[in-house]
Amino acid sequence: MNDDLGTQLDAELGFEPAVSATGVDGDNAGPTSGKRRIRPGLRRRLIATGVLLGALVSMGGAYAAFAGTSGAANAVTAAQQTAMGKQLYEISCITCHGSNLEGVQNRGPALIGVGAAATYFQVGTGRMPLARQGAEAYRKTARYDDSQTRALAAYVQSVGGGPNIPTGSVRSASSTIADGGVLFRLNCASCHGATLAGAPLSAGKSAPSLKVATDLQIYTAMQSGPESMPVFSDNQLPPDEKKAIVTYVQTLKASADPGGAGIDRIGPVSEAIVLFVGGVGVLMLAILWIGAKQQ
């Protein structure tokens, strides 16, 4: 019956309709009837094109975001650090060193040209802010942490210029320890002592001990020459020689005494004298005790 109806409609319309009178495709009565099929080759090309376009857009966007923001972020960070340093300077330093780092008579020297290196050493070792006026500024507990110290140094550097804080490690390879020892004995031991314990100087001053000094504090001290210490510029001591000295000092501090308990490493002659005096003292006490017991 249905086939007769379909044949009759075909004859009246003059063509074969896409859908039969029963609503079912005569050629394909399956569930995919009425839908066009995409050839597999075309589908693969479309998918590959979409993936390629997506990858290009993602890479381009990532590059644009990185290139457009990395430099600006660093610049903002530096500006914020300098601004924080200015605030700290106006709180703790301006009274003695002036509003423009020009110094104040009978209070504090000018900071023009001292650079970030001197600021880092003085503030990082607690010498500044100064507790009281005197012949020497002594090391004490630092008031500011490392980030605040660097901020102060960045502000001083931005206004007055001068030697900057080195970046990266200020130590060299272990193979430079011997050279560092030679350089230390030539340039540093006369004041700081061969055992790093420091020594008194003239006019009520003294060369401080290096036993608690950090790598960067030693290096910036050589850059800036605090108080009676001379400035070791890069022309006099190139950076690699400064690093060799730092490496020698810190290695010497970390190494154990091979002979047991050293008396502050003051040398074999001095140690022998101490032992002799101490031994004689013990012997005399023993003689007195024996004499007292026999009476």
Side-chain angles (χ1 to χ4, degrees):
M1 179 68 179
N2 290 337
D3 293 340
D4 294 341
L5 178 59
T7 304
Q8 183 180 357
L9 288 172
D10 293 347
E12 291 178 357
L13 296 173
F15 62 89
E16 182 178 358
V19 181
S20 67
T22 60
V24 180
D25 189 352
D27 297 332
N28 188 2
T32 59
S33 61
K35 297 181 180 179
R36 293 185 178 181
R37 294 182 178 180
I38 300 176
R39 290 177 297 176
L42 178 60
R43 179 176 295 175
R44 285 196 297 270
R45 287 194 292 270
L46 290 175
I47 292 174
T49 303
V51 172
L52 180 60
L53 290 175
L56 291 174
V57 171
S58 299
M59 292 177 62
Y63 175 79
F66 178 79
T69 60
S70 60
N74 290 336
V76 170
T77 301
Q80 290 177 341
Q81 185 183 46
T82 303
M84 183 175 72
K86 182 179 180 180
Q87 292 178 350
L88 294 172
Y89 180 88
E90 291 175 349
I91 292 173
S92 300
C93 314
I94 194 171
T95 303
C96 296
H97 297 289
S99 57
N100 294 314
L101 280 67
E102 74 276 13
V104 177
Q105 188 175 5
N106 298 326
R107 289 187 183 178
L111 301 181
I112 303 296
V114 303
T119 307
Y120 182 88
F121 173 82
Q122 295 289 351
V123 178
T125 59
R127 289 174 167 83
M128 296 293 164
L130 194 65
R132 63 182 184 276
Q133 294 288 344
E136 184 177 5
Y138 294 96
R139 186 186 185 106
K140 59 183 183 296
T141 303
R143 177 180 296 184
Y144 299 119
D145 59 26
D146 187 73
S147 62
Q148 292 172 321
T149 301
R150 289 180 179 274
L152 267 170
Y155 173 69
V156 172
Q157 182 73 27
S158 68
V159 176
N164 210 340
I165 301 173
T167 57
S169 176
V170 292
R171 289 200 197 189
S172 53
S174 57
S175 58
T176 65
I177 293 176
D179 294 335
V182 173
L183 291 168
F184 179 85
R185 288 187 288 273
L186 288 174
N187 297 282
C188 317
S190 58
C191 293
H192 294 284
T195 62
L196 317 178
L201 303 175
S202 60
K205 297 182 179 181
S206 63
S209 169
L210 301 179
K211 294 185 177 180
V212 294
T214 65
D215 294 0
L216 201 53
Q217 289 169 0
I218 297 172
Y219 195 100
T220 52
M222 289 187 282
Q223 283 182 296
S224 58
E227 300 184 18
S228 298
M229 180 173 172
V231 176
F232 294 97
S233 66
D234 288 347
N235 292 329
Q236 184 176 355
L237 277 181
D240 58 340
E241 293 187 353
K242 289 187 179 73
K243 291 181 179 181
I245 291 175
V246 173
T247 303
Y248 168 76
V249 170
Q250 301 297 51
T251 303
L252 185 63
K253 287 160 56 176
S255 61
D257 291 309
I263 306 175
D264 202 24
R265 296 181 175 176
I266 55 179
V269 175
S270 303
E271 292 172 0
I273 293 174
V274 171
L275 291 174
F276 177 77
V277 172
V280 170
V282 172
L283 182 61
M284 291 298 298
L285 289 174
I287 293 172
L288 292 174
W289 180 78
I290 293 173
K293 293 289 289 182
Q294 290 179 351
Q295 288 180 359

